[in-house]
Amino acid sequence: MDQLIAKIGKGLKGAKDLTWDEAKFALNAIIEGQATDVQVGAFLMAMRIKTESISELAAFTTTVRKWAPPIPLPHAENIVDVPLYGEKHNTIHVVVAASLVAASAGAGLFMHGVENPDTPYDLPQVLHHLQLPIARTAAEAIEQGAQSPWVYMDLAGYHAPLTKLLDLRQAFGLQNLSHQVSRLLNPARVGSQVIGISHPPYLDKMVEALDMLGAKRALIIQGVEGFPELSLSAPSMARELRSGHISSLVFRPDDAGFRSGPFQAMSSTINGPGSGTPEHEARLITQVLVDRQKGDRRNWVIMNAALLMYAGGLASSLAQATPLAQETLDSGKAGAFFTALVQGRPPQSKFVVPPSPAVVPA
């Protein structure tokens, strides 16, 4: 470990990337507890400064995948993996509302993240206030997946060592390589992935790492606050992987038939008393899903639901998926689906196994 720390820690000019085997050795030593706490901190911060290479990302992901077996979900090849490991401060978690709309239309969605009680604006807290189910173990995720096309799993009950590295965010004040690896993890090895990132260099790094890992389909999005969400107020840069072919994409609101909306429609902090809290955000999401509230926030939900439907193979483009998302929301189907999940009933939605996806750009 000391030699590998020295290799990556010699500054911007002297640092070198690890080989495939070196990267696997280092992360395995961390996961298995063979590295000291000091070595773990030094390695993670040196890698943070150097930044991970494509090969390192793929090697790290291979290492953590071997620690825990894949979660055997039915129809896994047609489910979308949606990792949620960013931190939001200014906007609502629209991916929650969008995922419920997409799932009620027949898309299979497997989402995962971690709880962060030190963060006042945490996605699991929003799920708690919405009274949505959270799978605490792989077994619970399998059970929920047998009943519903919508599953959210807390990573802690599936991959404790990776969760421990994620928790170091509080001690370091910075994210570390585990945040990128968690995004690439794909615990159920499902057939499609939608990943949000903050920093532009990771658009190419993440999609090429997934290609090295043999992924068949993935969308990497420079999303709202690093989440897998398209912006309503600005273009969203993306990379798409399909069977070994990588494309550069730009998603704009008008691709879904909407005008660019104001940032206020996405904001969590300028919507009246109590804004910026999980309780308030849960009310905003419920208003769109159950009350079918109109306006720019509704458009933002539809746009992102269409993205997930596209990733799930229910449509060949964002434009084609948008009317389906609109009908699902306006008909009350999405609200009924959400209500059923809250009440612990099997939702009235059948998972749609799409045909072989047409090779049509978004």
Side-chain angles (χ1 to χ4, degrees):
M1 280 299 293
D2 60 335
Q3 295 174 19
L4 299 182
I5 292 168
K7 184 173 182 177
I8 65 175
K10 291 183 177 179
L12 297 178
K13 293 184 179 180
K16 296 181 180 179
D17 294 336
L18 302 179
T19 66
W20 178 273
D21 288 337
E22 287 173 338
K24 288 181 64 178
F25 173 89
L27 195 56
N28 189 67
I30 291 172
I31 288 175
E32 296 294 334
Q34 298 166 4
T36 68
D37 290 345
V38 172
Q39 288 176 328
V40 171
F43 183 86
L44 293 179
M45 286 300 95
M47 187 61 70
R48 164 82 186 199
I49 295 169
K50 181 186 78 68
T51 73
E52 308 89 347
S53 69
I54 295 166
S55 177
E56 286 170 340
L57 283 171
F60 291 151
T61 304
T62 296
T63 302
V64 296
R65 283 181 176 180
K66 288 183 177 179
W67 192 90
I71 299 171
L73 296 179
H75 304 295
E77 67 277 9
N78 296 301
I79 294 175
V80 183
D81 178 82
V82 187
L84 302 170
Y85 294 94
E87 292 180 23
K88 283 214 168 194
H89 302 280
N90 301 309
T91 59
I92 69 171
H93 295 87
V94 76
V95 66
V96 175
S99 67
L100 292 164
V101 174
S104 64
L109 296 169
F110 182 80
M111 298 175 290
H112 47 99
V114 291
E115 291 188 354
N116 185 358
D118 294 326
T119 300
Y121 194 51
D122 189 34
L123 184 142
Q125 294 181 44
V126 176
L127 298 180
H128 171 73
H129 287 286
L130 287 167
Q131 300 180 57
L132 288 168
I134 296 177
R136 300 292 177 181
T137 64
E140 288 184 11
I142 295 168
E143 182 180 355
Q144 290 185 19
Q147 299 293 323
S148 168
W150 187 96
V151 177
Y152 177 88
M153 183 187 73
D154 186 338
L155 189 73
Y158 170 70
H159 208 301
L162 190 55
T163 302
K164 184 177 179 181
L165 295 181
L166 289 165
D167 290 343
L168 291 176
R169 167 71 174 86
Q170 302 307 311
F172 293 163
L174 295 168
Q175 293 190 6
N176 59 70
L177 65 88
S178 65
H179 290 80
Q180 311 309 331
V181 173
S182 297
R183 290 176 168 94
L184 297 171
L185 180 61
N186 193 355
R189 310 295 191 270
V190 298
S192 181
Q193 294 166 263
V194 177
I195 298 172
I197 56 99
S198 295
H199 304 297
Y202 282 104
L203 283 172
D204 292 316
K205 285 185 178 184
M206 300 283 268
V207 75
E208 291 185 32
L210 284 172
D211 192 27
M212 286 186 68
L213 292 167
K216 293 183 178 180
R217 186 173 188 186
L219 279 166
I220 314 297
I221 301 165
Q222 188 179 352
V224 179
E225 296 195 82
F227 266 68
E229 302 169 350
L230 302 178
S231 173
L232 181 68
S233 62
S236 301
M237 307 300 293
R239 299 290 185 271
E240 182 175 36
L241 171 66
R242 280 200 182 192
S243 301
H245 179 72
I246 297 173
S247 304
S248 296
L249 304 175
V250 181
F251 290 104
R252 298 178 175 86
D254 59 12
D255 292 329
F258 301 125
R259 63 176 178 82
S260 293
F263 178 83
Q264 288 87 335
M266 301 188 292
S267 175
S268 62
T269 59
I270 55 175
N271 291 286
S275 62
T277 65
E279 299 96 323
H280 185 255
E281 180 177 346
R283 288 196 296 272
L284 296 178
I285 292 172
T286 302
Q287 286 171 0
V288 174
L289 292 174
V290 178
D291 300 334
R292 287 172 268 178
Q293 187 180 74
K294 306 294 184 180
D296 288 319
R297 187 173 293 114
R298 168 187 176 275
N299 295 345
W300 190 33
V301 171
I302 290 172
M303 182 179 176
N304 280 281
L307 174 75
L308 296 175
M309 292 177 187
Y310 168 67
L314 299 188
S316 61
S317 67
L318 194 68
Q320 189 183 82
T322 299
L324 177 59
Q326 289 174 320
E327 190 279 330
T328 303
L329 187 58
D330 292 343
S331 67
K333 185 186 298 184
F337 181 91
F338 165 61
T339 301
L341 280 178
V342 169
Q343 295 177 351
R345 296 184 286 108
Q348 296 297 311
S349 174
K350 293 184 178 180
F351 173 62
V352 177
V353 179
S356 298
V359 183
V360 178

